[in-house]
Amino acid sequence: MIYIVAILSVIFLGLAALVVSRMAAVVKNANGANDSEFSVTSNRINGVLFLVFFIVGLIGAVWSFMYARQFFLPEASSPHGRRTDFLFWLSMGIITFAFVVTNALLFIFAWKYQHKEGRRAAYYPENHKLELIWTVIPAVIMAVLVFTGWRAWRDIMAEAPENSQVFEIVGKQFNWIVRYPGVDNNKLGAYNYKLIDNANDTGIDYTDEASFDDFTSTTELHIPVNKPILLKIRARDVLHSVFIPHMRVKMDAVPGMPTRFAFTADKTTDEMRNITGNPNFGYEIACTEVCGRGHFSMRIRLIVEDEATWQAWCKEQKPLLSSTPELASRIPANLKAKAAKYLEGAAAPSDSTTASVQQGGVNVVSAATIR
């Protein structure tokens, strides 16, 4: 890199010296030098410089691209990601081709048609056929790109399949909280933002019995391979954005407006370690919305594994109801029997934890505990 900077410095110094010499020539010409001779020489130099600039710039652009390839993400680990990548590179290829052709004509014409004694410019005011060609062809190409992009977006954002494995991911300053649907009913329970407090940081509503076996994690998300995944996304405080680069997944987490993203991971973490040759490779979920001073810390691991391994891992986890016994006071009296098995062995809640009041036979969190 130092050598490149040094070479560029020499080139720019040379150009600066050339500019100074040309200015001197202009001054000399103003004092009575032959205008025609000066004009021909000046145009010849400028024409050559146009060609040199184009060729050097093109070589630099190709070199920059080839050098940067080592930093590119590997092939996407999801079908929709590969489709997105294909459309991206298709668009880039078409745009790059048009850019090179138009700029080649621009710089070559500047050199070829430089001023010469006796040459007169041709008067060419219009050519309807040519205008039709350079209007219709770009319009058709643009329409095809827009249509294929719309179709891809429509398919990616379509309703998730009925057999999708559902997870909830909640953003807050400054970490992600993942809620799993448990292992008994494989169904996420309801939530209510008014129930959020230190013991219940996602606002799980325990008046819904589907919530009893839900468990959470702030360090990692485990998902099965080759199975549709539906992420239900929300935010507790400010705008966040769920980003899984290797899956080409990105969706904003907006306070008060739940969003979602469905995808299928078709390469396990171990497979990616073999593909990349990196034994320490790991998927991650990051935040791509600057959400405050601790934005950099908003990342958790994503582990993609086979179905059997994923099921076994889930069975080892304890429901939030078991690990946080003070939440038992929020269960309605008519559902306490169903929740009993999740409370077995859990320590009794302390008096200093969540307070509750009795309303119609149902325990409700007091206003003092809601944050």
Side-chain angles (χ1 to χ4, degrees):
M1 184 60 69
I2 296 177
Y3 295 112
I4 296 174
V5 173
I7 292 172
L8 291 175
S9 299
V10 172
I11 292 175
F12 285 129
L13 287 173
L15 291 175
L18 181 61
V19 169
V20 171
S21 66
R22 299 313 301 160
M23 290 181 66
V26 170
V27 173
K28 181 179 179 181
N29 180 66
N31 292 329
N34 188 302
D35 180 69
S36 177
E37 180 182 349
F38 168 76
S39 179
V40 171
T41 303
S42 177
N43 276 277
R44 185 182 302 116
I45 293 174
N46 287 333
V48 172
L49 286 177
F50 267 107
L51 283 181
V52 171
F53 180 82
F54 174 71
I55 295 171
V56 173
L58 190 61
I59 293 173
V62 173
W63 171 85
S64 176
F65 174 79
M66 299 302 294
Y67 177 79
R69 290 183 65 186
Q70 61 184 308
F71 305 111
F72 288 4
L73 287 170
E75 182 184 64
S77 298
S78 63
H80 89 269
R82 290 189 288 275
R83 184 177 180 183
T84 302
D85 286 355
F86 169 76
L87 290 176
F88 172 81
W89 287 115
L90 175 64
S91 299
M92 285 296 295
I94 294 174
I95 293 171
T96 301
F97 174 77
F99 175 83
V100 172
V101 170
T102 54
N103 280 275
L105 292 174
L106 174 66
F107 288 107
I108 291 173
F109 272 49
W111 171 77
K112 184 176 181 180
Y113 296 104
Q114 59 188 270
H115 170 74
K116 290 182 180 178
E117 285 295 324
R119 172 181 284 175
R120 296 179 63 85
Y123 180 64
Y124 198 67
E126 63 183 18
N127 185 321
H128 296 304
K129 183 178 180 180
L130 184 61
E131 292 172 0
L132 188 65
I133 290 173
W134 71 36
T135 300
V136 171
I137 291 179
V140 170
I141 294 174
M142 179 64 69
V144 170
L145 290 178
V146 170
F147 180 70
T148 54
W150 170 79
R151 286 185 59 192
W153 175 256
R154 178 201 63 187
D155 295 341
I156 292 170
M157 300 309 297
E159 290 295 326
E162 292 185 2
N163 65 333
S164 296
Q165 183 60 53
V166 182
F167 301 91
E168 182 181 67
I169 182 165
V170 182
K172 73 178 184 69
Q173 295 176 311
F174 293 101
N175 66 278
W176 295 108
I177 307 167
V178 176
R179 181 159 68 109
Y180 294 79
V183 294
D184 291 343
N185 57 22
N186 197 30
K187 181 180 178 183
L188 279 175
Y191 72 88
N192 187 333
Y193 74 94
K194 294 180 180 180
L195 300 176
I196 294 174
D197 60 17
N198 290 333
N200 187 7
D201 50 10
T202 60
I204 300 175
D205 185 356
Y206 286 102
T207 62
D208 178 9
E209 60 181 286
S211 302
F212 294 166
D213 63 342
D214 291 358
F215 62 92
T216 62
S217 173
T218 58
T219 58
E220 58 190 20
L221 169 61
H222 288 248
I223 64 173
V225 70
N226 293 321
K227 184 173 183 178
I229 304 297
L230 174 60
L231 291 182
K232 292 187 174 182
I233 304 167
R234 56 192 175 95
R236 274 181 37 170
D237 37 41
V238 299
L239 192 66
H240 301 283
S241 189
V242 174
F243 181 46
I244 313 177
H246 293 89
M247 304 290 174
R248 311 303 192 262
V249 171
K250 184 184 183 301
M251 180 58 68
D252 284 354
V254 185
M257 190 181 77
T259 55
R260 60 180 178 82
F261 201 105
F263 67 99
T264 301
D266 57 7
K267 296 176 185 176
T268 66
T269 301
D270 288 337
E271 287 174 340
M272 283 300 293
R273 287 172 179 170
N274 293 329
I275 292 172
T276 61
N278 178 12
N280 298 317
F281 173 86
Y283 293 115
E284 73 168 17
I285 301 176
C287 177
T288 54
E289 201 73 46
V290 179
C291 53
R293 291 185 176 181
H295 166 70
F296 67 91
S297 65
M298 284 200 65
R299 53 186 297 185
I300 61 173
R301 294 192 304 155
L302 173 67
I303 293 90
V304 182
E305 52 204 358
D306 61 82
E307 180 82 18
T309 303
W310 177 76
Q311 289 282 3
W313 180 85
C314 287
K315 290 178 181 178
E316 295 173 355
Q317 310 309 307
K318 294 179 63 177
L320 187 63
L321 199 56
S322 299
S323 58
T324 314
E326 56 264 36
L327 296 176
S329 62
R330 310 181 187 189
I331 302 172
N334 62 322
L335 294 179
K336 284 188 178 294
K338 294 183 178 181
K341 69 175 183 176
Y342 301 106
L343 296 170
E344 292 176 359
S350 63
D351 294 336
S352 60
T353 58
T354 308
S356 64
V357 294
Q358 192 77 14
Q359 291 183 357
V362 178
N363 288 317
V364 181
V365 183
S366 69
T369 65
I370 298 174
R371 302 183 62 179

